[in-house]
Amino acid sequence: MARTPDLLPGTLDLLILRTLQTEPLHGWAVSERIQQISEDVLQINQGSLYPALHRLEHQGCIEAEWKVSELGRRAKYYHLTPAGRRQLAAETREWERMAHAIGRVMKFV
Amino acid sequence: MSLNDLKLRIRALFRRKRVEEELDDELAFHIERETRKLVDQGVAPDEARRLAQARFGPTALAADECRDARGTALVDNTVRDIQYAWRTFRKAPLAAITIVATVAIGLGVVAVLFTVLNTLLFRKDQVPAVDELYAIQRTATDDREVAPLTRAALESVRADAQVFTRAYAAIPNVDLHVDGRTVAVTLVSGSFFDVVGVRPAMGRALDATDDAPGGGHAAAVLSDKGWTRRFDRDPNVLGRTIMVNGTPFEIVGLTPAGFRGLEVTAPDLWAPISQLGAFRPIDRGHEDTAAVEIIGRLRPGLATGSAEAQLSAWDANRLDALRAADAADRRATRVELQPRRGTVPDPWEAIALFTPLFVAFGLILLIGCANVANLLLARGVARQREVGIRLSLGASRRRIVRQLLTESVLLALAAAAGGYVISRAALEGAVSWMLSTMPLDLGDVNLGVPAADWRVALFLVLAAIAATAFFALLPALRATAIDPVRTLRGEFVRDARPGRTRNVLIALQAFASALLLISAAIFLRSALASAQYDPGMRTADTVLINLNNESKRAQMVSAVAADDVVAWHAAVRPQLLAPLRVAIANSGTITAPVTFKSVSGSYFDVLGIPIVRGRTFTPAERDEQPVAIVSETVARTLWPDGDGVGQTLRLEPDEGLRRPGGLLTVNPSAAADDAMTRVRAVTVVGVARDVPGFRVTDVKDAGVFLPTSADAAHTAIVARVKGDPTIARQTLVDHLSRIDPNTGLVITMRTVARLETFFLEIAFSISVLLGGLALVLTVSGLFSVLSYLVEQRTREIGVRMALGASARAVAQAMLGQTLRPVLVGLAAGALLSAALATLVLATPAGAMISKIVRVTDPVAYTGSLGLIVAACLLATWIPAARAAKVDPMRTLRQD
């Protein structure tokens, strides 16, 4: 497994919420999606994905449902709740603010 | 916590199995999906599965973290930890039993002490709003005696000081002797039951008519204890009578169980103060001037500070009005409020008394815990492989530490339960032992087994948890500080023999044993020395008889004189155990304060005190005769040149009333009538040998003896008896009880002498028990630790021997390793006890104590240290010898 840069603290939750914005996904698909979209730059430690999912579920940001998967066996699909959408919006704004700020610092210092 | 969260948590708790299955499913699906992806990319199926698992990492760890997120992890893990711990105990029951037993003994001895302290400090009386009750306490700021509060003061404080809403007066500890048994009585004013607000369980309470000055009723209210002790819980007790020095008192009421009349131990009965004369004949007619305590309910909202200020002003005004004291006396008095809650009035004194005991008893717990810590430490090493496997399977270090802790908490709770059982058994045993060894003639001493309540239970659990923190956390942290991979391979890496911790623990044990055993040896040596002590008066066959009922005096005296068991008798006033009054003796050229008492001529013969010069009193010389006998010391002081006989001596009242001392003040006011009230001129007819007296009970003989006879009021009798004094005493009590059931205290002088060593014997018994326990624990701990050590290091020893070390050198190395901390601990223990001894000697009380307790006895120090060294050598010798027998070839071939 290629060594990947550590994610910024708190960004894992943001990435999970973002991937779930369009459609319900199961855990493996979430990690796969993040990896694909980031062109393999971001590789989530698969072991720590599930605790994060369960935490978000407890916080009420996402909900789970058992559905039949592409493999033909049952899988746990997560989808965003209204609270999750609000949380995602808030975290996205915060992230953009940060990225903007860091970008400015990198440009001018 | 949101509603959603709660819903999920509840589901997780109550449908655990389902939730667990879902979790397993979810994680398994992930790995299957990842495998499929790899297979699709062209990886062989087996390889794909391995790779997928590797990418995911340890499944158990992920599952554990998911459980953490779930929020029921605490419950889940605890349940599993407990199950796991149970399996461990089942696997090694001996270790678990050893640990529980060791800690239970430690907790048990500490709980004994706490139970006693609990009754003294925390067990408030069952009285409504007990925290409002305060006693007025007047103390002198110098050495002078304070004029006591009287019933008049009660009226005055009610009328003039706005401090109490209601108040009563009490005279506690008025002891009555009925058929040779002690009945504890507290006399109270009529308002008592009204003020405390306790309704009788049966009959009626005492009221103002019972306590009418100059009249009143001979009525008494029983406590639950008195009902049990005197009347065998007779349901028809109301209307029965109890004889008090010739007056029948009717039982009119019974208080509920648990009410103690604001005292630490309840009296047997309460009677009105108006009846004082019946209880203390000497005070008949003085009911209004007798010393009383005044206790009241503080006005709500009044701070004690301002109440005390008000009371000081009240006291000053009152004394002015009475013209009873000069300005100097008033200035020297301080008025304070003392809480009255059925606990000891001065908690700090009790705490100061108990602190050294707690330290001594706590040392046992400490040693026990050190033993267990060492055992767990050793087991921790043995369990490193198990811990290593769990770590490599993905358990977090926190989980493992928690699991080990759970194990220890379980052990601690079992030990707390064991400690409770041990403390109850020890208390019952101690009280029955005290009662059986305590001389009978002290009256039946009122010792009950203190009850355990929720505070004792709480204390035990807290102590158990504190003990756990000490003995469990340490080994737990040690056991997990390992590298899983290398441990699995069987290599114990980091400090597999946690030597330093172990050495500190061993030193601690040796230190505590030394402290306790040195004390035991000191007490033993002191008790032996005390047994040889000569008080200067005959104790083997003499009996002291107090007579209380003056109306039956002539009958009683002739009964004593005519009794077959009495060989000789003499009169003495005040009675032998009472404190003596002081007069100023003036020889014409020299004045000196002297103690004095009145005796009949046979006094010196009966007690075996030689008259060194001159003669004793003749039977014709009685009260008021101008003759005296002086002690050698007084003779030497007043007439340094002559022998004293034939000289004239003036005895003058002592202006500064000195406070009387003494432990056995049987009847404090008895001496009052004897105070020298006028100047007397007497001729010295004889000089008596000095009597050193008793040290613990502080009984000294007088410097000046004046004549009296057994017919004179308030004299006690000392009798020389035939045969065994204990039997003779009982015979006398039986005969005298026929004349009047309320004899005064009748006590053999042998008992008085025995009190000298009794306290030392108790101190010795306790410290030798603790010291022995400490030594046994230390030695067994040393033995097991060293045995483990030898086992663990067999390989190293084998290598050393293969390299040419002799068996002797190996044994020596092993011995040296454990004996060094032992010696360090012993040195520290000896130094600390020597330092404490020096500290004790430096205090004012130390001078008195050091006369009886030889705190710096070198024999005690060397003896006990030698014993410990010998025991430790023995304990280490066996494992060390086993180490020396190690066969290098065999051990090297191992593994």
Side-chain angles (χ1 to χ4, degrees):
Chain A
M1 202 196 311
R3 182 82 190 99
T4 55
D6 283 340
L7 287 175
L8 279 170
T11 46
L12 179 58
D13 287 5
L14 175 62
L15 291 176
I16 291 171
L17 291 175
R18 182 66 187 80
T19 50
L20 291 175
Q21 198 181 15
T22 43
E23 55 176 325
L25 293 171
H26 52 67
W28 180 82
V30 170
S31 75
E32 198 67 9
R33 180 71 61 84
I34 293 173
Q35 214 165 313
Q36 278 172 9
I37 295 177
S38 70
E39 291 166 342
D40 283 351
V41 173
L42 297 176
Q43 278 195 6
I44 297 180
N45 177 358
Q46 300 183 353
S48 63
L49 172 69
Y50 286 89
L53 282 170
H54 284 238
R55 199 171 51 244
L56 286 168
E57 189 185 3
H58 270 263
Q59 287 166 2
C61 294
I62 55 178
E63 266 171 16
E65 206 180 342
W66 287 88
K67 284 196 259 187
V68 178
S69 69
E70 64 272 22
L71 289 185
R73 65 174 277 186
R74 267 158 40 90
K76 202 175 174 188
Y77 281 79
Y78 295 91
H79 60 86
L80 279 186
T81 62
R85 284 183 201 288
R86 280 196 297 278
Q87 178 75 13
L88 174 61
E91 282 194 29
T92 311
R93 271 198 305 281
E94 188 60 22
W95 171 255
E96 280 166 356
R97 217 167 58 83
M98 279 290 291
H100 181 68
I102 291 172
R104 283 179 67 85
V105 171
M106 298 313 287
K107 223 178 270 171
F108 288 104
V109 172
Chain B
M1 190 192 295
S2 70
L3 189 67
N4 184 53
D5 184 33
L6 194 68
K7 210 164 66 198
L8 287 167
R9 277 186 196 226
I10 289 172
R11 179 164 181 268
L13 254 189
F14 292 101
R15 310 200 51 191
R16 171 170 320 118
K17 201 169 164 213
R18 176 80 189 278
V19 171
E20 281 292 309
E21 279 169 9
E22 285 183 359
L23 179 62
D24 287 346
D25 264 3
E26 188 179 12
L27 300 182
F29 173 79
H30 181 106
I31 293 176
E32 196 179 317
R33 187 66 189 79
E34 184 77 11
T35 312
R36 171 69 67 88
K37 178 186 155 193
L38 290 166
V39 169
D40 288 349
Q41 287 171 357
V43 183
D46 282 351
E47 178 65 8
R49 177 153 290 279
R50 200 192 56 74
L51 209 59
Q53 183 67 61
R55 282 190 186 170
F56 191 80
T59 319
L61 188 64
D64 227 22
E65 283 177 13
C66 288
R67 285 187 202 104
D68 279 345
R70 205 193 279 164
T72 54
L74 194 67
V75 181
D76 286 351
N77 289 342
T78 309
V79 169
R80 266 181 301 159
D81 284 347
I82 290 173
Q83 286 167 346
Y84 192 94
W86 178 243
R87 282 204 298 276
T88 315
F89 298 153
R90 290 271 301 274
K91 221 163 50 192
L94 203 63
I97 290 168
T98 313
I99 291 167
V100 169
T102 313
V103 179
I105 289 172
L107 283 176
V109 294
V110 178
V112 164
L113 216 53
F114 184 81
T115 311
V116 176
L117 196 65
N118 183 37
T119 60
L120 294 183
L121 290 187
F122 306 121
R123 205 175 48 123
K124 290 181 183 174
D125 202 357
Q126 291 176 15
V127 165
V130 72
D131 291 334
E132 290 175 8
L133 288 155
Y134 286 91
I136 299 176
Q137 183 77 18
R138 292 164 76 240
T139 44
T141 42
D142 58 14
D143 203 25
R144 284 161 175 262
E145 205 173 336
V146 192
L149 289 169
T150 61
R151 290 185 76 177
L154 174 64
E155 302 309 323
S156 156
V157 80
R158 278 175 178 157
D160 304 334
Q162 302 302 309
V163 172
F164 294 133
T165 51
R166 280 170 297 171
Y168 71 92
I171 307 178
N173 306 323
V174 181
D175 283 357
L176 188 66
H177 296 272
V178 182
D179 305 328
R181 290 181 71 188
T182 312
V183 177
V185 179
T186 295
L187 299 179
V188 290
S189 65
S191 49
F192 171 65
F193 286 100
D194 197 30
V195 175
V196 293
V198 169
R199 309 291 325 145
M202 217 160 48
R204 66 174 181 89
L206 296 173
D207 57 31
T209 56
D210 292 314
D211 192 35
H217 302 129
V221 169
L222 283 178
S223 69
D224 189 73
K225 192 183 82 186
W227 186 36
T228 312
R229 272 161 43 98
R230 293 299 312 171
F231 294 99
D232 245 344
R233 302 188 84 82
D234 174 10
N236 303 313
V237 72
L238 295 182
R240 284 181 67 176
T241 55
I242 186 165
M243 288 299 282
V244 178
N245 299 324
T247 313
F249 270 63
E250 190 192 343
I251 307 297
V252 297
L254 171 70
T255 59
F259 174 61
R260 304 195 302 274
L262 304 178
E263 293 172 44
V264 175
T265 41
D268 292 309
L269 57 90
W270 291 274
I273 294 184
S274 65
Q275 307 301 312
L276 176 63
F279 288 92
R280 286 212 305 238
I282 199 167
D283 283 331
R284 198 181 290 279
H286 302 302
E287 285 83 4
D288 290 333
T289 51
V292 299
E293 289 183 337
I294 294 179
I295 295 149
R297 282 195 186 272
L298 200 64
R299 197 167 284 287
L302 188 62
T304 48
S306 56
E308 280 169 355
Q310 274 192 49
L311 283 171
S312 294
W314 160 78
D315 196 40
N317 282 335
R318 188 178 66 94
L319 290 177
D320 269 346
L322 286 174
R323 288 192 305 272
D326 59 356
D329 195 25
R330 216 169 40 237
R331 200 178 53 231
T333 314
R334 195 173 52 230
V335 181
E336 283 166 325
L337 284 175
Q338 196 179 57
R340 269 310 156 90
R341 277 139 213 198
T343 53
V344 288
D346 188 355
W348 294 112
E349 201 175 307
I351 289 171
L353 186 73
F354 269 80
T355 306
L357 287 172
F358 260 113
V359 171
F361 282 58
L363 283 176
I364 296 292
L365 182 59
L366 197 69
I367 292 179
C369 286
N371 252 4
V372 171
N374 253 338
L375 195 66
L376 286 181
L377 219 53
R379 266 179 84 202
V381 173
R383 287 176 73 180
Q384 275 198 349
R385 186 182 281 264
E386 170 198 329
V387 170
I389 290 170
R390 297 188 63 198
L391 279 175
S392 60
L393 282 178
S396 63
R397 185 169 177 226
R398 211 183 57 188
R399 280 286 290 121
I400 290 184
V401 170
R402 255 197 27 202
Q403 196 274 315
L404 292 177
L405 263 180
T406 307
E407 234 175 80
S408 312
V409 168
L410 284 183
L411 291 173
L413 288 180
Y420 174 78
V421 173
I422 288 173
S423 76
R424 291 321 291 172
L427 274 172
E428 304 268 354
V431 167
S432 73
W433 173 74
M434 293 260 272
L435 286 181
S436 62
T437 50
M438 183 135 351
L440 264 179
D441 29 357
L442 280 180
D444 67 326
V445 176
N446 214 333
L447 265 183
V449 180
D453 55 12
W454 60 269
R455 290 184 206 92
V456 176
L458 183 72
F459 173 82
L460 267 171
V461 170
L462 287 183
I465 288 171
T468 309
F470 175 72
F471 77 72
L473 206 55
L474 213 81
L477 292 177
R478 279 284 177 190
T480 56
I482 49 173
D483 179 342
V485 180
R486 301 181 70 179
T487 307
L488 263 180
R489 257 189 253 133
E491 291 172 32
F492 299 119
V493 219
R494 202 187 308 173
D495 199 8
R497 30 187 194 89
R500 183 179 292 179
T501 320
R502 191 181 47 232
N503 283 350
V504 168
L505 289 174
I506 290 175
L508 203 66
Q509 290 181 320
F511 165 78
S513 308
L515 217 53
L516 289 169
L517 280 176
I518 287 172
S519 320
I522 286 174
F523 286 128
L524 176 65
R525 293 264 303 164
S526 306
L528 290 177
S530 270
Q532 305 293 319
Y533 175 77
D534 179 13
M537 51 173 99
R538 215 177 155 105
T539 56
D541 54 0
T542 44
V543 176
L544 169 67
I545 306 155
N546 286 293
L547 303 174
N548 276 358
N549 191 347
E550 292 300 332
S551 61
K552 298 256 172 76
R553 166 171 293 276
Q555 233 179 312
M556 301 268 231
V557 170
S558 44
V560 171
D563 210 303
D564 285 339
V565 298
V566 174
W568 252 350
H569 74 279
V572 56
R573 181 183 66 222
Q575 60 105 338
L576 267 183
L577 307 180
L580 294 173
R581 287 286 165 164
V582 174
I584 303 299
N586 186 340
S587 68
T589 49
I590 295 171
T591 48
V594 293
T595 52
F596 68 94
K597 62 162 57 162
S598 303
V599 299
S600 67
S602 48
Y603 173 83
F604 301 97
D605 279 341
V606 170
L607 285 178
I609 303 166
I611 298 290
V612 288
R613 287 191 293 277
R615 61 170 177 86
T616 180
F617 300 128
T618 63
E621 284 168 339
R622 298 187 164 199
D623 290 84
E624 304 306 314
Q625 294 280 321
V627 288
I629 293 169
V630 297
S631 71
E632 280 178 300
T633 307
V634 168
R636 215 169 23 245
T637 313
L638 294 177
W639 300 280
D641 306 321
D643 68 357
V645 176
Q647 301 283 352
T648 306
L649 176 65
R650 273 165 58 85
L651 292 170
E652 299 157 5
D654 179 27
E655 294 302 334
L657 285 171
R658 281 187 178 75
R659 209 179 288 173
L663 267 177
L664 270 188
T665 348
V666 175
N667 192 345
S669 70
D673 271 10
D674 291 313
M676 189 69 58
T677 47
R678 60 190 169 75
V679 176
R680 281 176 77 169
V682 291
T683 306
V684 175
V685 296
V687 176
R689 167 79 42 87
D690 277 338
V691 172
F694 299 104
R695 298 167 301 178
V696 170
T697 39
D698 201 22
V699 172
K700 294 187 183 64
D701 218 356
V704 174
F705 301 89
L706 298 168
T708 189
S709 71
D711 303 332
H714 308 318
T715 53
I717 294 177
V718 274
R720 179 88 70 90
V721 295
K722 299 171 198 157
D724 181 71
T726 312
I727 296 170
R729 173 195 167 267
Q730 197 51 51
T731 315
L732 279 168
V733 167
D734 291 345
H735 291 175
L736 292 175
S737 296
R738 261 181 242 152
I739 302 169
D740 180 353
N742 311 120
T743 52
L745 175 70
V746 179
I747 186 171
T748 62
M749 291 306 289
R750 199 166 63 175
T751 298
V752 177
R754 196 164 133 52
L755 286 178
E756 195 80 350
T757 55
F758 187 64
F759 296 105
L760 287 171
E761 280 167 26
I762 289 183
F764 167 69
S765 308
I766 293 174
S767 55
V768 85
L769 203 73
L770 292 181
L773 215 54
L775 190 61
V776 167
L777 286 174
T778 305
V779 163
S780 68
L782 264 181
F783 179 78
S784 58
V785 162
L786 202 61
S787 299
Y788 259 114
L789 207 63
V790 169
E791 217 167 285
Q792 292 293 334
R793 294 174 63 186
T794 314
R795 200 154 143 190
E796 179 202 327
I797 294 168
V799 171
R800 280 198 192 191
M801 290 178 87
L803 289 177
S806 69
R808 198 187 147 91
V810 165
Q812 262 175 4
M814 295 306 293
L815 272 182
Q817 203 173 23
T818 41
L819 281 186
R820 207 173 309 124
V822 167
L823 291 178
V824 169
L826 287 186
L831 275 177
L832 185 69
S833 39
L836 283 178
T838 324
L839 210 66
V840 164
L841 287 180
T843 61
M848 208 277 267
I849 294 170
S850 63
K851 248 188 276 171
I852 303 163
V853 184
R854 314 202 301 187
V855 283
T856 50
D857 185 3
V859 177
Y861 277 74
T862 46
S864 42
L865 292 183
L867 179 70
I868 300 172
V869 169
C872 290
L873 267 177
L874 206 68
T876 48
W877 187 256
I878 298 165
R882 205 184 305 146
K885 284 208 201 85
V886 165
D887 178 355
M889 292 328 286
R890 269 248 302 280
T891 51
L892 287 181
R893 239 180 272 129
Q894 266 174 14
D895 299 322

